Amino acid sequence: MIERLRAYKIDLFILAGFLLLPLLLFGDVTVGGKTMVPVDNLFQWQPWASAAAELGVKIPHNTLLSDLILENYVWKQFVRESVFPPTEIPLWSPYLFAGSPFLATGQHGAYYPFSIFFLILPLAKAYGWYTVVQLWLAGVFMYFFGRTLEMRRASAAIAGLVFQGAGFMLVSAAVFPMILGAAIWLPLLLASIEMVVRVSTSPRGAGKTLPWAALGALALGFQVLAGHIEITYYTLLVMAAFAAWRLASRLAFHVSHNGDERDSVTLGTWQTTLFKPAVWLLGLVMLGIMLGGIQFIPFYEVGQANFREGAASLSEVRGWAFPARRALTLALPNFYGNPAHHTYTDAFTGERVPFTTNYYGEPNPNGAHTSAWGIKNYVEGGIYLGILPLFLAALGIWLWRRPSAGRRSAIAFFVVLSLFSLAFIFGTPLYALLYYGLPGINQLHSPFRWVFPFSLAVAALAGYGVEHLALSRREGEQLAGRHTWASDRRPPRWLQPFVLWGRPSAVTALAGMAFWGGALLLAGLFLSRIFYGQVEPIIQSVFLALAKAPEAFPDARAFYSYQFRQIFLFGLMLVAAGCVLRVSRCPIFIPGTGKQRPLWPLLAAVVIGLDLLIANFGFHTAADPALLEYEPELVQWLQEQPGTWRLTTFTPHGDKPLNANGGWLYGLQDVRGYDSVIPRQYVEYMRTIEPQNELLFNRIQPIVNWESLNSPLLDL
């Protein structure tokens, strides 16, 4: 009993530890005095821009996060106004287009239980605490999934850390709370599927299936209510694939342990290994959809009338996938710049230099005063998972060689899931399987969001990599007790660092590759700094040859200085990964625990946590919440105008006064609008006034042609 309590204490310690990374990343917008709402982004447009200097607003921290203030914030504000004091259920919003469905579209997350933060806390503070709690749950659920897959605590903890700190999770948290809320439930859902299959096919599982099915249904209901139907779609696809894989492997296991297949696959076999768990899983999904039905059913209806239905061809959708060169961000997350980086450190003087103009003497078209120059924007391209997790994932795949039916099946699934996810992320022809094979997916113009399943797959494989280290270590210790080198059989000195207890080790070889690869990279980097005069022509050629790089950097020296830090961090993390892998082979234990607990899992967690912290720190906005109280004079004047009317703007030069959805902040109704759900009928109506050239960006545009102002349709 005492031993079990101690075990639970370790579990609780690990679960509490999952709070550390979210609080380090978002402490300024939770316990600090800032808000995560990018209100400073409003001050790049009129009428807010006129007061920017007076209010001390300079360059917006991250212009890529404007959706949080233009969309999500006004949704949350509208829900609060409807609930406090209670007036009416916000079924309909009059503030965009000619009015539009509100609750049916779901992205507001009004039904999501964790949206209670947006009702009980000041809205400026709620976003930070919501994010911390959701990221904590992401780690907890992935840990639970790892334990369900019979990983050790350390292995499951590393899997949870990688999943919660994945680039996809952190960039989504900064701009799309509903994506974060929807994505965190997948590990818990897969754990429920695993347990339903395992328990319902076991002779000792009678009466134990219902709790797991109920847990899965509750998790799916929460997932649907979180408010992002695209993530729900991908979640259901991964659930279906995992369930089919586990059922097939369960059947194969049963056949292989019952002799000849012709004699063993009987009606009873099919009923026990396939039909029974399949019925339970179908019930899980149906009940989960029913629990989320208050959101799922209205969204299904409004989705049929959405303008995006069939609006893009397969070639166009594939064109929005990752370009091949984006694969580099798996190792160098900020190689293509970062919209939150407004300065760089000169590699020669150490001074902080602001980004002002580019090579052509103009502002960066990808975002003035930033280093961003990638073909895919940073939010859509958030794929970084850390350096050590990639090595651990490779070891996790290597673990497949060890005989264990359940483990081998799970590893094979995650390998296949990661390969298919990469194929979809990079827009290969395989994406046609989805585009033509699945209903409604032609509305999802974002193959890059397959980063979500890919992140989960790599996190799981990293957990299995830790399993491999633990298992191989134990075997090595057993060998060490009965094997020594004969003097005539001792390996050459150059091979000895790669040999474990008398035999070659893949782990030590991989450790050597990481450590010495990182060390050589760092040495080459500093040599390039010392002999910059000699290598400058090469750097200049590379700089000019890289598409879009001259649009962000004023010269090759600035480009070199910015990349110096990126490559330095990459080399440092390679060295750290090599050290962790090498220490996993050494008898070094945590002092003061009373037991010989190896140090390397804790060291691995520290290295991964620091890696993800450095890569993502400062990406989110941390603005002065007092800016939310500012009301421009133009808005005050509009509010004083009598009668019932809707506004639009006339922008023949492409500027964005009172940017889309901005009027909603102050209760002004707008002909324009910015939303991924726009009634097709309204789109056609506005097209009769003038062509709609911003639908690709989910916008009903301002009036841009003088003749359109005379259209009688505007009078309606």
Side-chain angles (χ1 to χ4, degrees), residues 415-629:
V415 170
V416 172
L417 177 62
S418 61
L419 292 175
F420 270 91
S421 296
L422 284 172
F424 299 150
I425 290 166
F426 286 94
T428 68
L430 276 177
Y431 196 82
L433 295 175
L434 301 179
Y435 187 85
Y436 293 116
L438 297 174
I441 205 166
N442 59 6
Q443 290 197 40
L444 307 181
H445 302 163
S446 45
F448 48 83
R449 291 249 162 85
W450 278 89
V451 170
F452 161 47
F454 176 74
S455 301
L456 179 132
V458 172
L461 289 172
Y464 279 118
V466 178
E467 285 289 291
H468 177 80
L469 291 176
L471 289 170
S472 61
R473 177 189 175 90
R474 179 178 296 177
E475 292 174 358
E477 289 171 344
Q478 293 170 353
L479 282 171
R482 62 176 185 268
H483 181 87
T484 57
W485 279 325
S487 59
D488 60 338
R489 300 185 63 187
R490 184 178 297 274
R493 184 177 297 275
W494 66 269
L495 183 60
Q496 289 179 20
F498 304 102
V499 174
L500 171 66
W501 289 294
R503 66 176 184 175
S505 166
V507 175
T508 48
L510 203 60
M513 289 171 55
F515 180 86
W516 292 113
L520 288 173
L521 183 64
L522 291 174
L525 183 65
F526 284 102
L527 284 174
S528 74
R529 163 67 178 79
I530 295 170
F531 300 103
Y532 182 78
Q534 286 75 14
V535 299
E536 185 176 15
I538 300 174
I539 295 171
Q540 177 80 7
S541 300
V542 171
F543 168 63
L544 295 176
L546 287 170
K548 290 185 172 289
E551 295 182 3
F553 301 94
D555 51 44
R557 174 170 165 154
F559 175 77
Y560 172 83
S561 294
Y562 183 79
Q563 301 303 347
F564 189 95
R565 181 177 187 273
Q566 316 312 320
I567 297 172
F568 173 76
L569 290 173
F570 175 49
L572 200 63
M573 290 306 161
L574 277 175
V575 170
C579 290
V580 170
L581 295 176
R582 194 65 187 87
V583 169
S584 74
R585 308 295 88 189
C586 303
I588 304 175
F589 305 102
I590 301 174
T593 59
K595 288 188 176 182
Q596 287 191 333
R597 299 190 186 279
L599 176 67
W600 65 267
L602 180 60
L603 186 60
V606 170
V607 167
I608 294 171
L610 281 174
D611 190 358
L612 298 174
L613 178 66
I614 293 170
N616 296 283
F617 188 80
F619 181 75
H620 67 276
T621 295
D624 182 358
L627 294 176
L628 289 166
E629 305 300 322

Side-chain angles (χ1 to χ4, degrees), residues 686-705:
M686 293 303 294
R687 275 176 172 158
T688 62
I689 298 174
E690 65 180 16
Q692 294 297 305
N693 300 316
E694 295 190 14
L695 290 175
L696 183 62
F697 308 104
N698 301 328
R699 288 172 178 254
I700 295 295
Q701 68 184 36
I703 302 300
V704 298
N705 298 313

Side-chain angles (χ1 to χ4, degrees), residues 238-357:
V238 176
M239 287 172 62
F242 185 70
W245 189 281
R246 295 300 287 128
L247 290 173
S249 63
R250 201 74 172 174
L251 179 62
F253 177 80
H254 183 93
V255 169
S256 65
H257 285 71
N258 287 276
D260 191 340
E261 183 178 348
R262 290 172 298 176
D263 299 328
S264 60
V265 183
T266 63
L267 179 61
T269 301
W270 286 100
Q271 182 176 352
T272 302
T273 59
L274 285 183
F275 297 150
K276 184 179 177 182
V279 169
W280 275 108
L281 292 175
L282 182 62
L284 181 158
V285 172
M286 295 302 295
L287 182 57
I289 294 295
M290 289 171 64
L291 290 173
I294 192 172
Q295 187 62 79
F296 187 85
I297 295 171
F299 182 86
Y300 178 80
E301 181 181 358
V302 77
Q304 306 307 301
N306 192 18
F307 81 102
R308 294 175 66 159
E309 174 67 33
S313 66
L314 173 61
S315 61
E316 288 176 312
V317 174
R318 287 178 58 197
W320 298 321
F322 277 24
R325 74 179 194 173
R326 193 77 197 181
L328 190 60
T329 56
L330 275 168
L332 296 160
N334 295 309
F335 181 82
Y336 296 110
N338 187 314
H341 292 176
H342 305 294
T343 62
Y344 65 92
T345 301
D346 189 284
F348 305 93
T349 65
E351 296 178 358
R352 299 295 295 177
V353 182
F355 288 102
T356 52
T357 58

Side-chain angles (χ1 to χ4, degrees), residues 89-422:
I89 299 174
L91 298 171
W92 184 265
S93 165
Y95 295 109
L96 300 183
F97 319 129
S100 60
F102 181 75
L103 276 186
T105 60
Q107 293 188 89
H108 45 74
Y111 294 121
Y112 186 46
F114 287 96
S115 288
I116 190 69
F117 284 101
F118 298 103
L119 298 179
I120 64 175
L121 295 176
L123 208 46
K125 272 292 183 191
Y127 281 93
W129 285 110
Y130 173 91
T131 298
V132 166
V133 170
Q134 297 300 286
L135 288 173
W136 175 72
L137 287 175
V140 169
F141 291 159
M142 193 68 203
Y143 176 77
F144 181 72
F145 184 35
R147 296 293 284 161
T148 301
L149 295 175
E150 300 179 346
M151 292 182 188
R152 289 168 171 77
R153 287 186 180 85
S155 308
I158 293 298
L161 177 60
V162 174
F163 185 64
Q164 77 166 180
F168 169 82
M169 304 295 282
L170 297 179
V171 298
S172 296
V175 64
F176 298 127
M178 64 282 193
I179 290 183
L180 176 64
I184 65 170
W185 297 95
L186 182 56
L188 183 58
L189 286 162
L190 297 184
S192 301
I193 291 172
E194 171 67 22
M195 291 307 299
V196 166
V197 172
R198 192 184 301 174
V199 173
S200 64
T201 56
S202 170
R204 293 175 295 178
K208 299 178 182 178
T209 310
L210 180 59
W212 291 110
L215 176 64
L218 185 64
L220 181 57
F222 276 30
Q223 198 281 336
V224 173
L225 296 178
H228 203 272
I229 197 66
E230 181 178 6
I231 301 301
T232 297
Y233 204 125
Y234 298 150
T235 296
L236 290 172
L237 283 178
V238 176
M239 287 172 62
F242 185 70
W245 189 281
R246 295 300 287 128
L247 290 173
S249 63
R250 201 74 172 174
L251 179 62
F253 177 80
H254 183 93
V255 169
S256 65
H257 285 71
N258 287 276
D260 191 340
E261 183 178 348
R262 290 172 298 176
D263 299 328
S264 60
V265 183
T266 63
L267 179 61
T269 301
W270 286 100
Q271 182 176 352
T272 302
T273 59
L274 285 183
F275 297 150
K276 184 179 177 182
V279 169
W280 275 108
L281 292 175
L282 182 62
L284 181 158
V285 172
M286 295 302 295
L287 182 57
I289 294 295
M290 289 171 64
L291 290 173
I294 192 172
Q295 187 62 79
F296 187 85
I297 295 171
F299 182 86
Y300 178 80
E301 181 181 358
V302 77
Q304 306 307 301
N306 192 18
F307 81 102
R308 294 175 66 159
E309 174 67 33
S313 66
L314 173 61
S315 61
E316 288 176 312
V317 174
R318 287 178 58 197
W320 298 321
F322 277 24
R325 74 179 194 173
R326 193 77 197 181
L328 190 60
T329 56
L330 275 168
L332 296 160
N334 295 309
F335 181 82
Y336 296 110
N338 187 314
H341 292 176
H342 305 294
T343 62
Y344 65 92
T345 301
D346 189 284
F348 305 93
T349 65
E351 296 178 358
R352 299 295 295 177
V353 182
F355 288 102
T356 52
T357 58
N358 59 23
Y359 185 74
Y360 308 109
E362 302 168 349
N364 183 350
N366 295 291
H369 307 289
T370 76
S371 62
W373 60 284
I375 295 173
K376 176 61 64 179
N377 80 50
Y378 200 96
V379 167
E380 296 173 351
I383 197 174
Y384 189 67
L385 294 158
I387 302 303
L388 179 56
L390 297 182
F391 284 95
L392 292 175
L395 290 172
I397 297 171
W398 190 252
L399 184 64
W400 186 87
R401 299 167 59 251
R402 294 176 177 271
S404 174
R407 185 193 297 142
R408 295 182 76 175
S409 171
I411 291 173
F413 172 79
F414 291 121
V415 170
V416 172
L417 177 62
S418 61
L419 292 175
F420 270 91
S421 296
L422 284 172

